[in-house]
Amino acid sequence: MNHVNPGNSSVPTLHDQLCISRNFSHQDHQGSVRTVSSRKVLRCKQALLKLGISRSSFYAKAQKSSRYFDPTFPKPVALGLRSVGWFEDELDAWLDQQAFTSTVGVA
């Protein structure tokens, strides 16, 4: 089965994307073997549950025009034309930073 994208070899095929999302070693069409680490993407509902904040607070932290804007808040990742997600490890790091800054100065 040929997994090469004939139009543009720099664009990953569906096979490549599946290998990346599952943390597989993959042999590309040129014979190179690469291992890509897996990063889990959470959709909005999952991210809200992880962070424990409301949907409006979630988007307010990401919106530059909001008075609640947080420049350290993780940026969304486009998954398609009308869908986005957030990397779970970035959300975890943001949560850790929030916990650290809220305990600094507490004796």
Side-chain angles (χ1 to χ4, degrees):
M1 177 178 226
N2 188 358
H3 300 294
V4 176
N5 190 345
N8 184 350
S9 63
S10 66
V11 176
T13 64
L14 178 59
H15 177 264
D16 293 335
Q17 293 169 6
L18 289 173
C19 288
I20 290 168
S21 68
R22 294 191 179 130
N23 197 21
F24 288 160
S25 291
H26 172 68
Q27 185 169 0
D28 65 17
H29 66 280
Q30 296 170 342
S32 302
V33 175
R34 61 189 165 114
T35 302
V36 180
S37 63
S38 178
R39 293 181 76 189
K40 186 173 182 182
V41 175
L42 301 181
R43 298 297 306 271
C44 184
K45 198 178 278 189
Q46 297 167 311
L48 292 175
L49 287 171
K50 177 175 259 315
L51 299 179
I53 60 176
S54 70
R55 184 183 194 93
S56 58
S57 294
F58 184 79
Y59 283 106
K61 290 181 183 306
Q63 188 175 15
K64 288 183 181 180
S65 62
S66 169
R67 66 185 258 196
Y68 302 106
F69 174 68
D70 181 350
T72 65
F73 194 72
K75 307 290 185 259
V77 177
L79 302 174
L81 292 176
R82 296 182 57 179
S83 62
V84 294
W86 289 262
F87 286 118
E88 185 176 33
D89 60 336
E90 291 180 7
L91 292 170
D92 289 336
W94 182 81
L95 269 176
D96 290 343
Q97 183 61 36
Q98 296 305 302
F100 176 76
T101 55
S102 70
T103 58
V104 171
V106 177

